[in-house]
Amino acid sequence: MTVQITARQFHAADGVEDWRCLYHVVSAYFRTGSLTRGIALVDEIGRLVGDDEQQYLNVDLRHAGVTVSLTRRDVALARRISAAARELGIVGDPTAVQLVCVTLDALVGADVLPFWQAVLGYRRIGDDYLADPSRRGPGLGLQQLDAVRPQRNRLHLDVAVPHDQAEARIAAALAAGGHLVSAEHAPKWWVLADAEGNEACVATWVGRE
């Protein structure tokens, strides 16, 4: 199996212009415009992957397009999927991918994680993360608190976006009535809040590796 590479190494590779790193995966969105064209692309992806049961591959087929997610080590497969899409006349739109995670502040994660696992029916990964086994819903992560902070909402969204779309996404949020809480960790993430103080983080891979 190919060794995992960094996000920077992935983006430096040729032929992966359709793809963007979002946390631990790389994703591409292909605008098909119809289910028929989408099914044709998914069929081609199936041929490329074959019977490799070890291959991480997440394909989301919708009427307007197909979202594909791989690991960063899958440069060659990403390149072949993009080539297959072009052969079908299907255009990739790297601005349309994102990854959403719900983050919960917790003083004692071990006390609250089993509850959320039971309520959501999710699979536990490590000590601080729950994942949808069907890969349809957002993940739920725990953020360790050292002390109770009553002035802060205990639940917020983390939204991973393409690195070249982060500033536009932040500008849109500010124009929509939000405000910047902190840019201390930018460009890893920015903390934003709506007019009532409910927070969300916009994150990229830049600065992580």
Side-chain angles (χ1 to χ4, degrees), residues 78-158:
R79 189 181 292 124
R80 291 197 295 270
I81 290 173
S82 287
R86 287 194 298 272
E87 286 290 322
L88 293 170
I90 297 173
V91 177
D93 181 0
T95 69
V97 296
Q98 68 178 19
L99 189 63
V100 177
C101 178
V102 179
T103 303
L104 178 68
D105 290 346
L107 288 170
V108 184
D111 290 348
V112 300
L113 200 63
F115 169 82
W116 290 102
Q117 183 176 6
V119 167
L120 294 169
Y122 273 19
R123 177 168 56 93
R124 183 168 177 168
I125 300 177
D127 296 327
D128 59 1
Y129 191 78
L130 299 175
D132 181 356
S134 67
R135 299 180 181 174
R136 290 194 302 265
L140 186 142
L142 296 184
Q143 181 168 280
Q144 181 67 47
L145 283 180
D146 296 324
V148 176
R149 288 183 285 178
Q151 76 280 8
R152 174 174 172 165
N153 193 325
R154 295 285 294 273
L155 194 69
H156 71 273
L157 296 182
D158 288 330

Side-chain angles (χ1 to χ4, degrees), residues 65-80:
V66 175
T67 303
V68 187
S69 296
L70 306 168
T71 69
R72 290 195 299 262
R73 65 173 174 263
D74 298 316
V75 175
L77 180 56
R79 189 181 292 124
R80 291 197 295 270

